[in-house]
Amino acid sequence: MFCDLHMHSTASDGTVTPDELPAMAKAAGLSAIALTDHDTTAGLPACQAACETLGIAFVPGIELSVDPGVRPGEEHDAPRRGTLHILGLFIRHDDPGLKQIEHRMREARDSRNPAIVAKLQELGVSIDYREVLDLAKEQGTEIIGRPHIAQVLIRKGYVKSVQDAFTRYIAQGKPAYVRRDRLPATEAIDAIHQAGGLAVFAHPVQLGLTDPDELEYFTARLRDLGLDAVEVLHSDHLPALVRQYTQMAQKLGLLTSGGSDYHGSRKPVDLGSQRVPFAMYEQLFQARRRT
Ligand code: AMP
Ligand code: FE
Ligand code: FE
Ligand code: ZN
C-alpha cells in the first residue's frame, strides 16, 4: 500500500482542482493523500469530501515558505541557503492562527508579484500585471506565485516552458527575481502545532546545504524549535539522498514523510510517483496531535 503526502491543487500552483485529485490518487493506487498547497487551506474541504466518497484517507495539509535562518534575527545571515519549506500535516483547516498567517503570506505575495512584473517590463518583456490576475482568476486561485507569471510568459511566447521562465527570468538570482517576506521558522512550526498539525521539513535538498554535517546541524536546530519529521522521499531526491536523510532523521529522533510534490502539468512529476509506503502515513497519523 502506498500514499502521497505532498501535492498541490489549483488552490495554489497546481493545475488539478482539489476535488479531482482523489480520483487520480485512487487510479494511481494510493490509499492516503495529503493536500499541501502553498500558503493556503482553501482546497482542503473539497479534497476531503472527494476522499471520503472514494474511501481514501485524507491528510489536511499546507506548505509554508520559511526564512532559512532558524532563529529570529538570523534570517538574513544565510547567503548560501536556498529554499526552506515546512509542511503542516493533519492541520485543522479553519484554525484562526493559521488563517492569520495565510493572510500575511498573501499580502507578501501581492506586494511582490507586481514588482516581478515591473522588473520584467524593464527587461523589455511586454507583460501587464492584469494578465497575471486574469490567469489566476481563470484558475480560481488567490495564491498567485511565480508559476502563474511563468504561464503568462509562455502564453505570450517569451519562454518555452515554466522551467525556461525560471532559468531565464524569475528563479532566485535571475534578473526579474524579487524576494518575498517569509515566516521565521519558529512562527511556522508554532502555527502548525497550534492548528493540531505535525511540522515536516520539506524537500531538504532545496535548502542547498550539500555538506551532510551542516544539514544535520541545521535540522537539529529546527528540531529544537519543534520540528516533527523530515520529508525523505521527494521527486528531487536521488536514492543516495533518501538514504542520507533517512539516517539523519533516525539519528535526530524525527519521523519521516514522503510525497511527489505533484503540481499537475506545471512540473514533469506524476502523482504517487514516489511510492511512499503507507506505513509512513500510519506512523505520522499515530504521532499527530489530538487536540
Ligand atoms: P513563489 O511561491 O511565487 O515563490 O513560487 C514558487 C513556486 O515556483 C514553487 O512552489 C515551485 O512550484 C515553482 N518553482 C520554484 N523554482 C522553480 C524552478 N527553478 N523551476 C520551476 N518551478 C519552480
Ligand atoms: Fe509550487
Ligand atoms: Fe516546496
Ligand atoms: Zn510543494
Side-chain angles (χ1 to χ4, degrees), residues 6 8 38 63 261 263:
H6 188 161
H8 297 266
H38 299 286
E63 180 169 26
D261 207 354
H263 277 71

Side-chain angles (χ1 to χ4, degrees), residues 23-138:
M24 291 183 64
K26 184 140 196 166
L30 302 175
S31 305
I33 61 168
L35 179 60
T36 54
D37 276 308
H38 299 286
D39 301 334
T40 183
T41 55
L44 298 180
C47 194
Q48 170 149 29
C51 276
E52 278 166 11
T53 306
L54 294 170
I56 295 176
F58 179 66
V59 180
I62 192 165
E63 180 169 26
L64 299 172
S65 301
V66 171
D67 217 302
V70 288
R71 296 201 182 285
E74 200 197 323
E75 281 81 7
H76 300 289
D77 183 28
R80 288 172 304 136
R81 290 177 193 160
T83 298
L84 176 56
H85 288 171
I86 305 272
L87 297 170
L89 298 180
F90 301 101
I91 53 161
R92 278 186 302 268
H93 73 90
D94 53 358
D95 178 78
L98 212 49
K99 281 273 170 261
Q100 213 171 2
I101 282 183
E102 288 179 43
H103 183 74
R104 257 170 71 194
M105 294 298 99
R106 226 183 100 182
E107 285 186 337
R109 284 175 179 280
D110 291 348
S111 65
R112 174 231 213 177
N113 289 327
I116 294 177
V117 169
K119 279 201 170 182
L120 286 168
Q121 286 165 349
E122 278 171 35
L123 293 164
V125 176
S126 157
I127 174 175
D128 191 283
Y129 192 52
R130 192 70 247 162
E131 296 171 290
V132 180
L133 292 175
D134 286 346
L135 175 93
K137 200 168 174 190
E138 227 174 85

Side-chain angles (χ1 to χ4, degrees), residues 32-287:
I33 61 168
L35 179 60
T36 54
D37 276 308
H38 299 286
D39 301 334
T40 183
T41 55
L44 298 180
C47 194
Q48 170 149 29
C51 276
E52 278 166 11
T53 306
L54 294 170
I56 295 176
F58 179 66
V59 180
I62 192 165
E63 180 169 26
L64 299 172
S65 301
V66 171
D67 217 302
V70 288
R71 296 201 182 285
E74 200 197 323
E75 281 81 7
H76 300 289
D77 183 28
R80 288 172 304 136
R81 290 177 193 160
T83 298
L84 176 56
H85 288 171
I86 305 272
L87 297 170
L89 298 180
F90 301 101
I91 53 161
R92 278 186 302 268
H93 73 90
D94 53 358
D95 178 78
L98 212 49
K99 281 273 170 261
Q100 213 171 2
I101 282 183
E102 288 179 43
H103 183 74
R104 257 170 71 194
M105 294 298 99
R106 226 183 100 182
E107 285 186 337
R109 284 175 179 280
D110 291 348
S111 65
R112 174 231 213 177
N113 289 327
I116 294 177
V117 169
K119 279 201 170 182
L120 286 168
Q121 286 165 349
E122 278 171 35
L123 293 164
V125 176
S126 157
I127 174 175
D128 191 283
Y129 192 52
R130 192 70 247 162
E131 296 171 290
V132 180
L133 292 175
D134 286 346
L135 175 93
K137 200 168 174 190
E138 227 174 85
Q139 299 186 349
T141 180
E142 294 188 331
I143 300 299
I144 306 176
R146 287 176 287 164
H148 303 100
I149 296 173
Q151 199 168 338
V152 173
L153 294 178
I154 296 171
R155 278 194 186 175
K156 303 194 80 176
Y158 283 104
V159 296
K160 295 189 300 287
S161 62
V162 173
Q163 192 53 55
D164 192 25
F166 272 87
T167 41
R168 282 172 61 192
Y169 295 113
I170 54 180
Q172 201 167 341
K174 301 300 172 181
Y177 178 74
V178 179
R179 215 189 137 75
R180 105 173 117 90
D181 287 339
R182 293 171 221 187
L183 283 177
T186 37
E187 281 188 46
I189 292 171
D190 287 350
I192 289 166
H193 286 167
Q194 285 296 320
L198 295 175
V200 184
F201 181 5
H203 42 60
V205 69
Q206 290 185 17
L207 189 63
L209 286 181
T210 46
D211 179 339
D213 293 334
E214 280 188 41
L215 181 69
E216 185 181 312
Y217 180 81
F218 183 92
T219 310
R221 302 285 77 72
L222 287 178
R223 183 197 56 186
D224 296 343
L225 300 178
L227 186 79
D228 300 287
V230 177
E231 185 177 51
V232 298
L233 286 165
H234 182 275
S235 306
D236 290 348
H237 296 171
L238 293 169
L241 286 182
V242 177
R243 280 194 295 277
Q244 180 196 324
Y245 299 157
T246 304
Q247 281 166 11
M248 179 180 77
Q250 231 159 30
K251 189 170 164 192
L252 296 177
L254 294 165
L255 293 163
T256 54
S257 185
S260 62
D261 207 354
Y262 179 67
H263 277 71
S265 60
R266 276 211 181 88
K267 284 188 184 174
V269 162
D270 289 328
L271 189 67
S273 51
Q274 283 301 305
R275 309 319 278 164
V276 179
F278 188 71
M280 246 181 213
Y281 159 79
E282 288 180 313
Q283 278 169 14
L284 292 163
F285 181 82
Q286 290 301 328

